[in-house]
Amino acid sequence: MRLLKNTWYVAAWSKEIGTDFFTRTLLDEPFLFYRKADGTPVALVDRCPHRFAPLSLGKRVGDNVECGYHGLQFDCSGRCTKNPHGDGRIPPAAKVRSLPAIDRHGLLWIWPGDESRADVNLIPNFGHLESPGLKTIGAQMLQLAHYELVVDNLMDLSHVNYLHAPYQQVDDFLQAKHDVVQEGNTLESRRTVWSTRAPQSFRPFLSDPDAPVEYWLNIRWHAAGCCELETGVVPVGEPREKGLIRIGSHIVTPESETRTRYFYASSRNYRLDDPEADEETSRWQQIGFHEQDKPMIEAVQSRMGDSDLLSKRPILLATDAASIRARRLLASMIDDETAATQSASPAYA
Amino acid sequence: MRLLKNTWYVAAWSKEIGTDFFTRTLLDEPFLFYRKADGTPVALVDRCPHRFAPLSLGKRVGDNVECGYHGLQFDCSGRCTKNPHGDGRIPPAAKVRSLPAIDRHGLLWIWPGDESRADVNLIPNFGHLESPGLKTIGAQMLQLAHYELVVDNLMDLSHVNYLHAPYQQVDDFLQAKHDVVQEGNTLESRRTVWSTRAPQSFRPFLSDPDAPVEYWLNIRWHAAGCCELETGVVPVGEPREKGLIRIGSHIVTPESETRTRYFYASSRNYRLDDPEADEETSRWQQIGFHEQDKPMIEAVQSRMGDSDLLSKRPILLATDAASIRARRLLASMIDDETAATQSASPAYA
Amino acid sequence: MRLLKNTWYVAAWSKEIGTDFFTRTLLDEPFLFYRKADGTPVALVDRCPHRFAPLSLGKRVGDNVECGYHGLQFDCSGRCTKNPHGDGRIPPAAKVRSLPAIDRHGLLWIWPGDESRADVNLIPNFGHLESPGLKTIGAQMLQLAHYELVVDNLMDLSHVNYLHAPYQQVDDFLQAKHDVVQEGNTLESRRTVWSTRAPQSFRPFLSDPDAPVEYWLNIRWHAAGCCELETGVVPVGEPREKGLIRIGSHIVTPESETRTRYFYASSRNYRLDDPEADEETSRWQQIGFHEQDKPMIEAVQSRMGDSDLLSKRPILLATDAASIRARRLLASMIDDETAATQSASPAYA
C-alpha cells in the first residue's frame, strides 16, 4: 500500500510488549516484537528467509530467535547467527529485516524508512501521556477501514454533534469559530464556542454545571497518523488554564489497506485519583470509539469498496477543511519521498 | 451487473416496509426504504453524498432523513434540505438518488431506469395476490445465485418430478403436451396431462383422490424476473374452472451477480378459511423452496463459478425451451435498452 | 492449476468409499465416488452436463446415477443412458467425465491423464500398507497449503529436530551422512546416524532404551506426491533387519492451489498386536501432523500468499537438497508432458 516511510509509527503500547513474542501486522508486514533481557525492544519482520515460516512460531535463545521449522537463529538486528545444517556456513542472504524501535511516552515506535534517518527527535511529543499532572486512561482497537478514514473522523470533529450525541454534543458548535493552521508538516483544527452549555461529558465535574462556559476543541495532526486532541471548558471570562481539560491521544497505524490499529487515550487535568472518573472515561471510550465510531467508519469503508475517497468525488463541506488538507499534505509528502527515493537510486532501464 | 433498467422490480412485500428504516441491497445498490407519515413509500440509495455513510445509520426528521455522521438532511426525493455546517449553503451535488416506488398487489415496486418512463401500468398483473376469492400464503428468501438461475428453475418445471418428488410429482408429466408461447415481452410455458393421478399436493383436497384428473401447469414470465404459475387439477371431462387451482407468484430481484431476493406466494381457490391448508402451504414452501430448490440452485451457481450459463455450453434438452427463450429475450431487451441509451446520449470521444 | 496429468493420485483410503455417494474435490475438480454392486470403484466428475448440478445431489439407479435436478441418468463410464424429457433422444454431448479408478494397497487411485496410458503397474508400491508382518495405523487430513509445501516438509526431515522436538528429535541428526539419490522419476533422501541415543518415539519399545543405536531415516518421493518414509533404530553393530522399523506412507493429492488432501499411515514391525502401541501412533499422528506440521505449513503458505516458492528466492541450505530436486524434477515432468500434449494436438492459429 501507499505509505509514508520516513516517519515513526506506533506499533504498540509499550506495556503490550514483554519478553514473550508478540505479533502484529503493521504497514502490510507481519512483525515480531519482544524485549531483550535488558528491556530494549526488538522489531523483526516475522518471516524466516529460508522457508518463510513465521519466526514467532519459534523460540527465544537468549536475546536471539530460533526459527521453529528448521532451526536457523537470528540476532536482534536480523543477522543469522547459526545454521545448524550441513557445514553450518551462513548464506549471505540469510537476513531478517529489523526496524528501529524505541519506547517513548509509553508507546513503542517503529521507523519503516531509511534507517539512517530514524531520528528519535522526530517522534511527535505525546509527553502528556506520562505527565504527573494528568490522569491517563487508554487502550487500542482495530478498525476495519483505511487509516485515512480514521484520520478523517478525527480531523472533522463536527461528527461529535451527531454520532456522539448527546454525550459530546455542544450547542452552537457547528457555527463556532474554526481555524485550520499548518505548521510545517503538522495541521491543527481549532474550534471555540465562547459561551455555551457544557457538554454532558464535562457536567459531572463542574461545580455549577449550568453556568455558561467557554468550550474549545483543538486537534493537531502529525503525519502519518498521530493526532493530539485538546478539549476543555472554563467558566466564561476565566483563563483556560483554570478549566477542565482533556488531552486525547488518537494514533493510527495502518495494518493494511482496510485495517487500522487505533491507539487511544484520554489524559485529564481533574479528579486525578477518582476511580469513578477513570471508569467514566473507559465507558465513554467503549461507547464512543467501539460502538459509535467503529461501525460508522467501517460502514463508510464498506460503501466505498476499494476506491480512494477523493476519486469518488465526495461533496465537500466547510467542516471538511482540515481532513482534506491533511489528506493532501500526506499525499504530497509521500510523493516527495517517492521522488527522492527514485532520484537517489540508480536508474535501471 | 448487466441489468434491464426500464422495468419494475419488487423490492419488498409492502408489509415489510413501515415508518422505521428498512435496508436491502438490490440491483447492486444499497437501498433505504421507509414510509412517510401518509404511508407513501420512499426508496433512497442508502449512501450520503458527503462521506458515503449509510443514511440508514441516521434518523428520521419528519419525513426527511438526517445523516448520522455529520448531519446533512435529505427529503424523500433525495434533495439536500439542510447543511448544518459553516454558512449552511447546500452544494449542488448534495443529492441522494431516489427511485420511483409504489405499492401494488401487496408488493413494493421500484423502477431503476429513466424516471419519466416509470408507468405504473407496466407493473405485471399480480392482482390474484389480493383477490378475495383466493387465499394467499407467501414470504421471501435469499438465493445465493444469479437471478437467471432462479428464473431457469421456474421456467423449467420438469424439475418438480425429481427435486420435489414425490410431493409434486405427476405421472406422465415429462411426456405431456408442452407449448411455449410468446406474447410481446412475456413468455408462457404450458403443460397439460389430460388424464393422470393427482399429485400428492392436491390429493388431500379432492373428494376422490384416486379418480383420474386433468392436470395442468402453466408459467408466465415477465422480464426481468416476475413469474406467475397456475397449476390445477380437475376431474377428467370437467371444465378447469371447477378444479382446484393454485396461482403461484415467484418474483426474483437481483441483489448482486450471485445473490437474489426471491418473493414467493401461493394463492388457492379452495378451503379459503382452512388453517390446516395454510399450514400445509407454508410447510411445502419451506421444504420445496428452502430445502430443495435453494441447495440445488446454489450448488449449480457454485459449480458454474462466475461463468455465464450459455458460455459453459450446457447440453440443451426439450425441457429447456422456455428458460432458454426467456434468457435470450431478456438479453435482447437489455441490448436494445443499452443501444437506445447510447444513441440518446451525446457521444463523447 | 499446474499439474502432472499422466500419473496416479490417491483419491481416498479404499475403506472411505462404499455404495453411498462420496464427494471430494481433487485436482481442482469436484468428484463423485461410489462402488458398484460388485465393489468396483467409480470416479465421476460431480457435475451434470445439462445444468451443472452436482450428481451427488441425485441418487443411484442400480449402478447408474440419476441427476437430482432434471433426471438425466449416467452409467459408470459417464455415458448418458436416459433422457426422460420430450422424445428421449440423448444429445451426443451428454457425457460426464469418468476417471480410471482402482483399489491398490488399501488406497483408491485415480488417473487424470490420457486414459490409454493408465497402467496399474505405474502405481508406486505401497504394499507395506497391507503387509501381514507390519501393523498399520493411518488416516487423512486437509492441509490448507499447496501440495508442494507438504512435499517439501516431507523431503526435508531435518524439521523433526525442531518442529517435532523432543519426541522425534535425534542428536547429531543434522550433521549425519545425507545422500540424495535419483532413480528414474523417484528421488530418495537417506540419512544415517551411526551411533546415537534412540529418539523418544522408539525408546518405550527398546529393551535397553539407553544403549547407543544406529538411527536411519530414508524418504523416497514418487511424482507427484507419494512419499515412503523408512525410519529405524538398531543396536550399534546389529543388522538393520533386527531393528525397530516404521514405514511411513505420506501421500498428498492437491485439491486446489492452496488445499491438499494428505493421506498418512505408519506401519511398524514390532508389537503388532499391542493396542497401546497403536494408540501411541495415533496420538503422535494427531500431535505431529495436525498440531505441529499443519499450523507451520499453513503459516508458510499464508506468508507466501499466492507466490510460488522459488519465485520468492528462499535462501537454500544443505538440507533443502532433496526437496528442491523434487520440485525441479516435477516441474520438468510437467513441462515434458505439456510439450508432448501440444505436439500431439493439431496446431490451431
Side-chain angles (χ1 to χ4, degrees), chain A residues 34-65:
Chain A
Y34 64 98
R35 292 188 184 280
K36 304 204 301 202
D38 67 6
T40 316
V42 178
L44 292 169
V45 169
D46 188 19
R47 187 173 50 227
C48 182
H50 173 223
R51 284 294 176 139
F52 313 119
L55 293 172
S56 55
L57 294 182
K59 65 178 184 188
R60 287 183 69 138
V61 177
D63 280 346
N64 293 353
V65 178

Short mmCIF file of all heavy atoms in Angstrom, two decimals, chain A residues 34-65:
data_model
loop_
_atom_site.label_atom_id
_atom_site.label_comp_id
_atom_site.label_asym_id
_atom_site.label_seq_id
_atom_site.Cartn_x
_atom_site.Cartn_y
_atom_site.Cartn_z
N TYR A 34 9.52 -8.20 20.74
CA TYR A 34 9.80 -8.70 22.08
C TYR A 34 10.86 -7.79 22.71
O TYR A 34 11.37 -6.88 22.04
CB TYR A 34 10.26 -10.17 22.07
CG TYR A 34 11.56 -10.45 21.35
CD1 TYR A 34 12.76 -10.57 22.05
CD2 TYR A 34 11.58 -10.62 19.97
CE1 TYR A 34 13.95 -10.83 21.39
CE2 TYR A 34 12.77 -10.89 19.31
CZ TYR A 34 13.95 -10.99 20.01
OH TYR A 34 15.12 -11.25 19.35
N ARG A 35 11.15 -8.00 23.96
CA ARG A 35 12.18 -7.21 24.62
C ARG A 35 13.38 -8.09 24.94
O ARG A 35 13.22 -9.24 25.37
CB ARG A 35 11.64 -6.61 25.94
CG ARG A 35 10.61 -5.57 25.72
CD ARG A 35 10.20 -4.84 26.98
NE ARG A 35 9.12 -3.93 26.63
CZ ARG A 35 9.29 -2.74 26.05
NH1 ARG A 35 10.51 -2.31 25.79
NH2 ARG A 35 8.24 -2.00 25.74
N LYS A 36 14.56 -7.55 24.74
CA LYS A 36 15.78 -8.25 25.16
C LYS A 36 15.79 -8.33 26.69
O LYS A 36 14.98 -7.69 27.38
CB LYS A 36 17.01 -7.49 24.65
CG LYS A 36 16.99 -7.28 23.15
CD LYS A 36 18.34 -7.08 22.52
CE LYS A 36 19.12 -5.91 23.02
NZ LYS A 36 20.14 -5.48 22.01
N ALA A 37 16.73 -9.08 27.21
CA ALA A 37 16.83 -9.23 28.67
C ALA A 37 16.99 -7.86 29.35
O ALA A 37 16.49 -7.63 30.45
CB ALA A 37 18.01 -10.14 29.02
N ASP A 38 17.64 -6.91 28.66
CA ASP A 38 17.83 -5.59 29.26
C ASP A 38 16.65 -4.66 29.02
O ASP A 38 16.71 -3.48 29.34
CB ASP A 38 19.13 -4.96 28.74
CG ASP A 38 19.06 -4.61 27.24
OD1 ASP A 38 17.97 -4.77 26.62
OD2 ASP A 38 20.08 -4.17 26.68
N GLY A 39 15.56 -5.17 28.40
CA GLY A 39 14.35 -4.37 28.21
C GLY A 39 14.27 -3.66 26.87
O GLY A 39 13.21 -3.13 26.51
N THR A 40 15.35 -3.64 26.10
CA THR A 40 15.33 -2.97 24.79
C THR A 40 14.32 -3.66 23.87
O THR A 40 14.30 -4.88 23.76
CB THR A 40 16.72 -3.08 24.11
OG1 THR A 40 17.72 -2.80 25.07
CG2 THR A 40 16.82 -2.17 22.91
N PRO A 41 13.48 -2.88 23.20
CA PRO A 41 12.51 -3.51 22.31
C PRO A 41 13.14 -3.95 20.98
O PRO A 41 14.06 -3.31 20.49
CB PRO A 41 11.48 -2.41 22.06
CG PRO A 41 12.24 -1.14 22.26
CD PRO A 41 13.31 -1.43 23.27
N VAL A 42 12.62 -5.04 20.44
CA VAL A 42 13.08 -5.60 19.17
C VAL A 42 11.88 -5.67 18.22
O VAL A 42 10.79 -6.10 18.63
CB VAL A 42 13.64 -7.03 19.38
CG1 VAL A 42 14.07 -7.64 18.05
CG2 VAL A 42 14.80 -7.01 20.37
N ALA A 43 12.09 -5.24 16.96
CA ALA A 43 11.04 -5.33 15.93
C ALA A 43 11.62 -6.01 14.71
O ALA A 43 12.45 -5.43 14.00
CB ALA A 43 10.54 -3.93 15.56
N LEU A 44 11.24 -7.25 14.49
CA LEU A 44 11.72 -8.02 13.33
C LEU A 44 10.54 -8.36 12.42
O LEU A 44 9.42 -8.60 12.91
CB LEU A 44 12.34 -9.34 13.81
CG LEU A 44 13.64 -9.27 14.60
CD1 LEU A 44 13.96 -10.65 15.21
CD2 LEU A 44 14.80 -8.80 13.71
N VAL A 45 10.79 -8.39 11.12
CA VAL A 45 9.77 -8.92 10.23
C VAL A 45 9.62 -10.39 10.55
O VAL A 45 10.62 -11.11 10.68
CB VAL A 45 10.13 -8.68 8.75
CG1 VAL A 45 9.21 -9.46 7.83
CG2 VAL A 45 10.03 -7.18 8.44
N ASP A 46 8.38 -10.82 10.72
CA ASP A 46 8.10 -12.16 11.27
C ASP A 46 8.07 -13.22 10.16
O ASP A 46 7.04 -13.85 9.90
CB ASP A 46 6.76 -12.10 12.01
CG ASP A 46 6.48 -13.39 12.78
OD1 ASP A 46 7.44 -14.14 13.03
OD2 ASP A 46 5.30 -13.63 13.10
N ARG A 47 9.23 -13.39 9.52
CA ARG A 47 9.28 -14.33 8.39
C ARG A 47 10.72 -14.76 8.18
O ARG A 47 11.59 -13.94 7.90
CB ARG A 47 8.75 -13.61 7.14
CG ARG A 47 8.57 -14.48 5.92
CD ARG A 47 7.89 -13.69 4.80
NE ARG A 47 8.55 -12.43 4.58
CZ ARG A 47 7.92 -11.24 4.47
NH1 ARG A 47 6.61 -11.16 4.48
NH2 ARG A 47 8.63 -10.15 4.29
N CYS A 48 10.96 -16.04 8.30
CA CYS A 48 12.30 -16.58 8.10
C CYS A 48 12.66 -16.53 6.61
O CYS A 48 11.82 -16.86 5.77
CB CYS A 48 12.35 -18.02 8.62
SG CYS A 48 13.99 -18.78 8.47
N PRO A 49 13.88 -16.13 6.26
CA PRO A 49 14.23 -16.06 4.84
C PRO A 49 14.46 -17.42 4.20
O PRO A 49 14.63 -17.51 3.00
CB PRO A 49 15.52 -15.23 4.85
CG PRO A 49 16.13 -15.50 6.19
CD PRO A 49 14.97 -15.68 7.14
N HIS A 50 14.46 -18.49 5.03
CA HIS A 50 14.66 -19.82 4.47
C HIS A 50 13.38 -20.33 3.83
O HIS A 50 13.27 -20.43 2.62
CB HIS A 50 15.17 -20.78 5.59
CG HIS A 50 15.25 -22.22 5.18
ND1 HIS A 50 14.84 -23.23 5.99
CD2 HIS A 50 15.70 -22.79 4.03
CE1 HIS A 50 15.03 -24.38 5.36
NE2 HIS A 50 15.56 -24.14 4.18
N ARG A 51 12.36 -20.60 4.64
CA ARG A 51 11.12 -21.14 4.10
C ARG A 51 9.90 -20.29 4.44
O ARG A 51 8.77 -20.75 4.32
CB ARG A 51 10.94 -22.59 4.61
CG ARG A 51 11.86 -23.59 3.87
CD ARG A 51 11.45 -23.69 2.41
NE ARG A 51 12.35 -24.54 1.65
CZ ARG A 51 11.90 -25.40 0.73
NH1 ARG A 51 10.62 -25.54 0.51
NH2 ARG A 51 12.76 -26.10 0.05
N PHE A 52 10.17 -19.06 4.90
CA PHE A 52 9.10 -18.10 5.14
C PHE A 52 8.20 -18.48 6.32
O PHE A 52 7.07 -18.03 6.42
CB PHE A 52 8.28 -17.85 3.87
CG PHE A 52 9.16 -17.60 2.68
CD1 PHE A 52 9.13 -18.43 1.57
CD2 PHE A 52 10.06 -16.55 2.70
CE1 PHE A 52 9.98 -18.22 0.49
CE2 PHE A 52 10.92 -16.33 1.62
CZ PHE A 52 10.87 -17.16 0.51
N ALA A 53 8.72 -19.32 7.20
CA ALA A 53 7.97 -19.62 8.42
C ALA A 53 7.93 -18.38 9.30
O ALA A 53 8.88 -17.60 9.33
CB ALA A 53 8.65 -20.76 9.17
N PRO A 54 6.81 -18.17 10.01
CA PRO A 54 6.80 -17.08 10.99
C PRO A 54 7.81 -17.39 12.09
O PRO A 54 7.77 -18.47 12.69
CB PRO A 54 5.37 -17.14 11.56
CG PRO A 54 4.57 -17.89 10.54
CD PRO A 54 5.53 -18.86 9.91
N LEU A 55 8.72 -16.45 12.33
CA LEU A 55 9.69 -16.66 13.41
C LEU A 55 8.99 -16.75 14.76
O LEU A 55 9.48 -17.39 15.69
CB LEU A 55 10.71 -15.52 13.43
CG LEU A 55 11.63 -15.49 12.19
CD1 LEU A 55 12.47 -14.22 12.17
CD2 LEU A 55 12.52 -16.74 12.18
N SER A 56 7.82 -16.15 14.84
CA SER A 56 7.08 -16.17 16.11
C SER A 56 6.62 -17.58 16.47
O SER A 56 6.23 -17.83 17.61
CB SER A 56 5.86 -15.25 16.03
OG SER A 56 5.05 -15.60 14.91
N LEU A 57 6.68 -18.52 15.53
CA LEU A 57 6.39 -19.92 15.87
C LEU A 57 7.62 -20.62 16.42
O LEU A 57 7.56 -21.80 16.75
CB LEU A 57 5.83 -20.67 14.65
CG LEU A 57 4.46 -20.20 14.13
CD1 LEU A 57 4.00 -21.07 12.96
CD2 LEU A 57 3.41 -20.24 15.25
N GLY A 58 8.73 -19.90 16.47
CA GLY A 58 9.94 -20.47 17.04
C GLY A 58 10.09 -20.11 18.51
O GLY A 58 9.10 -19.97 19.22
N LYS A 59 11.33 -19.92 18.95
CA LYS A 59 11.53 -19.60 20.37
C LYS A 59 12.74 -18.69 20.56
O LYS A 59 13.55 -18.51 19.66
CB LYS A 59 11.70 -20.89 21.16
CG LYS A 59 12.96 -21.66 20.80
CD LYS A 59 13.09 -22.92 21.66
CE LYS A 59 14.39 -23.63 21.34
NZ LYS A 59 14.50 -24.94 22.00
N ARG A 60 12.83 -18.10 21.75
CA ARG A 60 13.99 -17.30 22.10
C ARG A 60 15.15 -18.21 22.48
O ARG A 60 14.96 -19.22 23.17
CB ARG A 60 13.69 -16.44 23.32
CG ARG A 60 12.77 -15.29 23.04
CD ARG A 60 12.61 -14.46 24.28
NE ARG A 60 13.85 -13.77 24.59
CZ ARG A 60 13.94 -12.51 24.99
NH1 ARG A 60 12.83 -11.80 25.14
NH2 ARG A 60 15.09 -11.96 25.25
N VAL A 61 16.35 -17.81 22.06
CA VAL A 61 17.57 -18.43 22.57
C VAL A 61 18.39 -17.25 23.04
O VAL A 61 19.02 -16.55 22.24
CB VAL A 61 18.29 -19.22 21.46
CG1 VAL A 61 19.60 -19.78 22.00
CG2 VAL A 61 17.40 -20.35 20.95
N GLY A 62 18.35 -16.97 24.32
CA GLY A 62 18.92 -15.71 24.83
C GLY A 62 18.12 -14.56 24.24
O GLY A 62 16.90 -14.59 24.22
N ASP A 63 18.83 -13.58 23.70
CA ASP A 63 18.14 -12.45 23.05
C ASP A 63 17.86 -12.73 21.58
O ASP A 63 17.27 -11.90 20.90
CB ASP A 63 18.99 -11.18 23.17
CG ASP A 63 18.84 -10.53 24.54
OD1 ASP A 63 17.90 -10.90 25.28
OD2 ASP A 63 19.65 -9.63 24.86
N ASN A 64 18.31 -13.90 21.12
CA ASN A 64 18.12 -14.23 19.71
C ASN A 64 16.84 -15.04 19.49
O ASN A 64 16.18 -15.46 20.45
CB ASN A 64 19.33 -15.03 19.19
CG ASN A 64 20.60 -14.17 19.17
OD1 ASN A 64 20.52 -12.96 19.42
ND2 ASN A 64 21.73 -14.79 18.90
N VAL A 65 16.52 -15.26 18.21
CA VAL A 65 15.31 -16.01 17.84
C VAL A 65 15.73 -17.25 17.06
O VAL A 65 16.55 -17.15 16.14
CB VAL A 65 14.40 -15.16 16.93
CG1 VAL A 65 13.18 -15.94 16.50
CG2 VAL A 65 13.99 -13.88 17.66
#
